[in-house]
Amino acid sequence: MRLFLEMMKVKAVQASAKQDLDWNNLGFEYTKTDFRFSAIYENDAWSEGELITSEIIQIHEGAPALHYAQQCFEGLKAQTAKDGRILLFRPKLNAQRMAITAERLSMPIVPDELFLKGVMEAVRANQSWIPPYGSGASLYIRPLLIGVGENMGLKPAKSYEFRVMVSPVGPYYKSGGLALISLAVSDFDRAAPHGTGDVKAGANYPVGLYATKKAKELGANEALYLDSAEHRYLEEAGSANIIIAQADNKLITPKSDAILPSITRRSIMAIAEQDLGMKIEERAIDLRAEVDSFVEVAACGTAAVLSPVGKIWFDEGWHNFYENGEQVGPVMQELYDLLCQLQCGEREDHLDWTQEVKL
Ligand code: PLP
Ligand code: COI
């Protein structure tokens, strides 16, 4: 009995002790953690799901996820709050978005309860990998839904795996933190009107790799897309939505059916309106006609958080937003602070946006 109690004590200590990582200098990279959550859909029903240790997915060579990209994913983060609590940010919206994506790709919906259970269990089981408060890092959570089993013809898979993997990460862009990034308008399109740009299909992303490569050759961090019909209206960056501060306390963001409805962007727009009294607008934004009215620009998303944009490349030249060169402007700084304070429990969460993971 004493041995058993000792073992339990060791296990508890191991669970809460932090891994030996350089938390302040993590990049946005995959780190293998101890557990992942997996549930299987077969014969029209989901299994309960369980924690597993192997990071390898054994997949049939005929799987529709491989041939026809019948696959989608989500992204959210767990953060350590000042008081030690572990907080998720609006995870139900990720569950809802995955359900919308699944329906669009003819995949079975992962019920909200299963989605949230998978996220909670994966975070709880990997608590030693959750970056400490103040490190600027977080535990990135990547839920995946993939069509497995074999299929030759173009039809939906008969079985699916819902998996939740996690990895400690630092800033998404190499410049890090609130350093200015740059974007280059792409000649290529990311998504068509009435296509899949508004859902989180994995298939939306490889088409952007080439555009990103071209953007990087110009010295930009990432590609920026205009609408594919006219190449005139701003859409979004490869992995983030766009927000723009204008004179008269205005914050605008592109309205388009071809962009991902970012949870971060929706939250920032609400914060701007409610906490800063800004006038917010979601509308078509004609880049060339309006660029001179852009006072501050930022890319935003779970991975990108809020990344101020210093300059945009289009029509063969750079358009700079900051005369002072390297410093983030006051509006984006304030929005970033308010968002981060909320996400890591430093500010009253009167809208109940954060959800604690009970350890
Ligand atoms: N746009 C794209 C294409 C993305 O991949 C992401 C990331 O999920 C976002 C925007 C930001 O969305 P969210 O704030 O929900 O993470
Ligand atoms: C996220 O921000 O969670 C994303 O999924 C973007 C991804 C391309 C890193």
Side-chain angles (χ1 to χ4, degrees), residues 30 33-39 49-55 57 73-76 88 98 110 113-126 139-146 161-167:
Y30 175 86
T33 55
D34 299 325
F35 297 99
R36 54 280 302 132
F37 179 87
S38 170
E50 58 178 345
L51 287 168
I52 55 174
T53 53
S54 175
E55 77 278 26
I57 299 180
F73 67 101
E74 270 302 325
L76 63 162
L88 303 172
M98 184 174 257
V110 178
E113 309 77 60
L114 180 60
F115 184 98
L116 294 171
K117 173 180 160 184
V119 166
M120 294 282 180
E121 287 199 12
V123 172
R124 214 176 276 131
N126 290 296
L139 190 74
Y140 187 70
I141 306 162
R142 177 51 69 82
L144 284 174
L145 175 61
I146 59 176
E161 176 168 356
F162 169 59
R163 182 174 277 231
V164 184
M165 60 174 232
V166 301
S167 176

Side-chain angles (χ1 to χ4, degrees), residues 97 190 200 205 236-241 260 262-264 300-302:
R97 193 169 61 189
R190 174 182 175 273
K200 215 161 162 54
Y205 293 80
E236 63 176 326
S239 57
N241 277 187
L260 194 74
S262 156
I263 295 163
T264 317
C300 61
T302 299

